[in-house]
């Protein structure tokens, strides 16, 4: 009776831990996910989905989640022309990350969620330095009510400075949406988080973001073209835009890996 549950809880968001993104590769250009060399440890591949009116799972984006940091590394999605949708913010967890048999995201599932953030991690914060649950796949980039619902999961969020999240980053999301309307076909987006391991975690559990980053790739004038962004920088500003190559170099240093290729399925990396 999954359909009944969905109808009774209209804000319910679901997801599924899937090896190799096998059920949601359509959210990557040519179905090839970002490549980290070496691969990041302690990560899980999640295909984010909701139950539709036919009692079937509808996959809406993909997330690489770090169970050590308890925040996502990135979420990848296809941008369609946005519609104005009402926002609903019930926050859910991924039971499978803590060995629960429930195959999809649910309001609760694990007694102690060792491998993921929970709502209580964001409660009773320092009022002088509060953090929002910052979306990686943001509401502003969703295209209908169902896709909006699917963004409200803690596996798609990381602690983000509230002033930056509600100010410059929100404006940035709107500007990116405007830019992507000029694409000639599907626009692929990967939004990620670089963790700040040098400051206290929330509730000694959830790693705070150092900065967010975003990379876009789509056909313009018949050629795959991309842009990169990150923020805040050292001056609390958004660096926008920069080349995909420049962004990858920065991310490789900050993630502590040799190389990162955000769009490995595209010849030239979507420059």
């Amino acid at each position: 009776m999954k359909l009944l549950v969905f109808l009774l809880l209209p804000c319910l968001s679901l997801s599924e831990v899937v090896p190799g993104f096998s059920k949601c590769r359509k959210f990557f250009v040519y179905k090839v996910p970002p490549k980290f060399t070496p691969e990041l440890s302690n990560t899980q591949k999640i295909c984010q989905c909701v139950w539709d009116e036919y009692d079937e799972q509808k996959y809406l984006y993909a997330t690489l989640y770090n169970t050590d940091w308890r925040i996502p590394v990135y979420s990848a999605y296809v941008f369609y022309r946005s519609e104005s949708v009402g926002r609903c913010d019930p926050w859910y967890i991924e039971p499978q990350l803590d060995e629960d048999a429930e195959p999809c995201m649910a309001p609760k599932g694990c007694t102690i969620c060792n491998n993921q953030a929970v709502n209580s991690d964001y409660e009773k914060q320092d009022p002088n330095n509060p953090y929002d649950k910052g979306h990686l796949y943001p509401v502003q980039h969703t295209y209908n009510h169902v896709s909006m619902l699917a963004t409200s999961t803690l596996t798609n969020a990381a602690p983000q400075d509230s002033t930056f999240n509600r100010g410059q980053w929100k404006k940035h999301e709107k500007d990116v949406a405007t830019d992507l309307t000029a694409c000639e076909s599907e626009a692929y987006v990967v939004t990620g988080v670089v963790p700040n391991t040098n400051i206290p975690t929330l509730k000694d559990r959830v790693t705070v973001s150092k900065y967010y980053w975003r990379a876009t790739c789509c056909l313009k004038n018949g050629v795959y073209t991309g842009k990169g962004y990150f923020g805040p920088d050292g001056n609390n500003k958004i660096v926008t835009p920069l080349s995909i190559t420049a962004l990858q170099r920065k991310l490789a240093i900050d993630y502590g890996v040799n190389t990162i290729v955000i769009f490995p399925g595209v010849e030239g990396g979507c420059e």
Side-chain angles (χ1 to χ4, degrees):
M1 297 269 41
K2 301 182 182 72
L3 175 58
L4 179 59
V5 172
F6 182 74
L7 292 175
L8 292 175
L9 298 173
C11 290
L12 179 61
S13 183
L14 311 167
S15 62
E16 182 178 1
V17 176
V18 179
F21 293 122
S22 59
K23 295 183 179 180
C24 55
R25 284 181 169 262
K26 64 182 180 181
F27 300 111
F28 306 107
V29 187
Y30 293 125
K31 301 182 179 181
V32 183
K35 183 177 181 180
F36 291 71
T37 306
E39 292 187 0
L40 296 177
S41 59
N42 301 316
T43 59
Q44 291 281 356
K45 299 175 176 67
I46 303 173
C47 291
Q48 308 278 14
C49 66
V50 297
W51 297 107
D52 67 13
E53 65 271 28
Y54 303 107
D55 203 20
E56 295 178 353
Q57 289 172 293
K58 184 177 179 66
Y59 295 97
L60 294 158
Y61 62 105
T63 298
L64 182 68
Y65 193 83
N66 189 291
T67 56
D68 187 25
W69 303 332
R70 299 186 180 90
I71 59 174
V73 178
Y74 65 75
S75 286
Y77 54 96
V78 175
F79 174 86
Y80 300 98
R81 295 181 187 276
S82 297
E83 298 178 7
S84 179
V85 295
R87 182 163 176 167
C88 178
D89 273 337
W91 290 93
Y92 295 91
I93 62 169
E94 173 50 68
Q96 290 188 53
L97 291 180
D98 284 280
E99 300 183 355
D100 191 292
E102 166 58 43
C104 291
M105 179 65 65
K108 57 184 180 179
C110 47
T111 303
I112 299 176
C113 294
N114 292 319
N115 295 318
Q116 61 192 299
V118 295
N119 274 316
S120 60
D121 292 322
Y122 287 83
E123 296 173 352
K124 298 180 181 180
Q125 297 186 48
D126 180 356
N128 297 315
N129 190 30
Y131 294 97
D132 284 344
K133 301 183 188 81
H135 291 73
L136 278 70
Y137 180 18
V139 171
Q140 285 199 86
H141 288 187
T142 60
Y143 54 93
N144 58 23
H145 186 68
V146 174
S147 60
M148 179 277 297
L149 293 178
T151 67
S152 293
T153 74
L154 284 160
T155 51
N156 181 51
Q160 187 176 37
D161 177 87
S162 60
T163 300
F164 185 77
N165 179 43
R166 302 176 195 186
Q168 290 194 56
W169 196 247
K170 182 177 180 179
K171 180 182 181 300
H172 156 74
E173 291 170 349
K174 182 178 180 180
D175 291 343
V176 169
T178 299
D179 178 65
L180 294 180
T181 58
C183 294
E184 298 165 2
S185 63
E186 292 88 352
Y188 295 88
V189 185
V190 181
T191 303
V193 177
V194 169
N196 192 337
T197 56
N198 295 319
I199 64 174
T201 58
L202 294 187
K203 303 293 178 69
D204 295 322
R205 283 175 35 87
V206 182
T207 305
V208 172
S209 61
K210 182 177 183 180
Y211 62 84
Y212 273 48
W213 57 271
R214 176 169 282 119
T216 65
C217 182
C218 69
L219 282 173
K220 290 184 177 179
N221 298 317
V223 178
Y224 274 110
T225 303
K227 292 182 180 179
Y229 313 83
F230 75 90
D233 64 2
N235 297 311
N236 207 36
K237 302 292 184 181
I238 295 176
V239 176
T240 170
L242 70 161
S243 70
I244 299 297
T245 296
L247 177 61
Q248 290 173 160
R249 290 193 188 111
K250 177 175 178 57
L251 294 177
I253 293 171
D254 291 338
Y255 281 118
V257 297
N258 295 331
T259 60
I260 294 175
V261 183
I262 301 172
F263 301 111
V266 181
E267 184 177 356
C270 205
E271 283 298 324

